[in-house]
Amino acid sequence: MTTVSTGKSPSGRNPLAAAEAADKKRKIAIQVGVAAVLVALVAAIGIGIAVKQSDSGNSTSAAQLPATGGAVTETGTVVIGNPDAKVKVRVVADLQCPACKQFEAANGETLAKAAADGTASVEYQIISFLDKASTNQYSSRAANASFCVAKSDTTKYQSWLQTMFEKQPAEGGAGLSNDELVQIATDVGYTDPAVATCIEDKPYNDYIQQVTQTTLQSGVESTPSVYINGRLNQTDAIFTENGLAPVIADAAK
């Protein structure tokens, strides 16, 4: 008797179907593997482009960022006095701002004394949103000069700040020239030629714009804005002669 083959093995399995199934699994595995490689490759390319763009976009800012640590913080502020003092005063100001000039005249000496005797640390955040108030971008050039002198020597910084406000130009006209800014720095004691070069070359210009934008976005609505241990103090004390002295004394208790 002739036996007709059914294509099944003695165990009842169809070897042809099994081979086709195995081949199908191999093809799927290969496709999945290829897809995974392509996804990884695309991701790698995307990350590489993003990093390159990030490096390209931040290269200028990184070059302009002043050396941090010590008296100059990562947020672009200048700290005078013991940073571990119990009282921390933060002053946000624009060197073209008339109200800031009034504040400095009333309380500049108070802050200098508090920093010198260890009662408080004073953190100056110089921003530049008043370029429109002069015909030669005085606000941002003065803010650049702030970084220049702070990097050189912070022991003269408050004297420099006081002089800058004393010589503040009127709004609406030309601000002080770079030569005049250099002369102010020199008169205060910044005789290092690097300071003059820094003032003239304005290496921190773009960085100052970033700091200004970040500061305003953080909630600062006007200058001067004065914070005592993180709390905004916009009382009459900031425009009263030595008005911050009792405020700092109370905060130190």
Side-chain angles (χ1 to χ4, degrees):
M1 181 173 58
T2 303
T3 302
V4 178
S5 173
T6 62
K8 294 183 178 180
S9 65
S11 62
R13 296 179 60 187
N14 187 327
L16 179 60
E20 290 176 348
D23 184 57
K24 185 176 182 179
K25 288 180 180 179
R26 283 193 297 271
K27 290 180 179 178
I28 292 174
I30 291 172
Q31 291 172 349
V32 170
V34 170
V37 170
L38 289 175
V39 169
L41 181 60
V42 170
I45 293 173
I47 292 172
I49 292 173
V51 170
K52 186 173 182 179
Q53 289 177 338
S54 176
D55 289 343
S56 175
N58 293 332
S59 60
T60 301
S61 299
Q64 294 169 342
L65 178 65
T68 57
V72 181
T73 73
E74 294 180 355
T75 56
T77 62
V78 179
V79 180
I80 307 299
N82 181 6
D84 296 323
K86 187 174 182 179
V87 182
K88 293 175 173 56
V89 182
R90 178 182 175 225
V91 178
V92 182
D94 188 309
L95 289 167
Q96 177 69 85
C97 161
C100 297
K101 177 178 181 177
Q102 295 174 15
F103 167 74
E104 174 63 26
N107 284 289
E109 290 296 333
T110 297
L111 295 182
K113 182 178 182 298
D117 65 19
T119 303
S121 64
V122 185
E123 184 176 11
Y124 292 97
Q125 181 90 67
I126 304 300
I127 60 176
S128 64
F129 70 98
L130 287 174
D131 273 341
K132 61 182 179 295
S134 71
T135 57
N136 59 0
Q137 297 184 313
Y138 174 71
S139 177
S140 60
R141 289 189 299 106
N144 175 80
S146 171
F147 278 127
C148 295
V149 298
K151 278 191 63 180
S152 177
D153 183 0
T154 54
T155 63
K156 305 180 184 71
Y157 184 83
Q158 287 174 308
S159 295
W160 172 84
L161 198 65
Q162 180 181 26
T163 305
M164 286 290 290
F165 278 120
E166 288 174 351
K167 296 182 178 296
Q168 183 188 79
E171 291 183 303
L176 301 177
S177 67
N178 287 343
D179 287 343
E180 290 173 310
L181 291 176
V182 170
Q183 190 60 54
I184 289 174
T186 302
D187 291 344
V188 172
Y190 290 103
T191 57
D192 184 349
V195 173
T197 299
C198 181
I199 291 173
E200 292 167 355
D201 291 349
K202 298 181 295 182
Y204 301 120
N205 187 63
D206 289 347
Y207 179 68
I208 288 164
Q209 307 311 314
Q210 294 176 21
V211 169
T212 298
Q213 183 178 13
T214 300
T215 301
L216 296 178
Q217 289 175 344
S218 73
V220 172
E221 297 180 351
S222 63
T223 55
S225 285
V226 182
Y227 299 82
I228 308 295
N229 287 342
R231 298 185 64 178
L232 182 64
N233 185 314
Q234 294 298 81
T235 65
D236 291 341
I238 66 175
F239 297 118
T240 302
E241 186 173 358
N242 297 320
L244 284 183
V247 178
I248 293 173
D250 286 342
K253 293 179 180 178

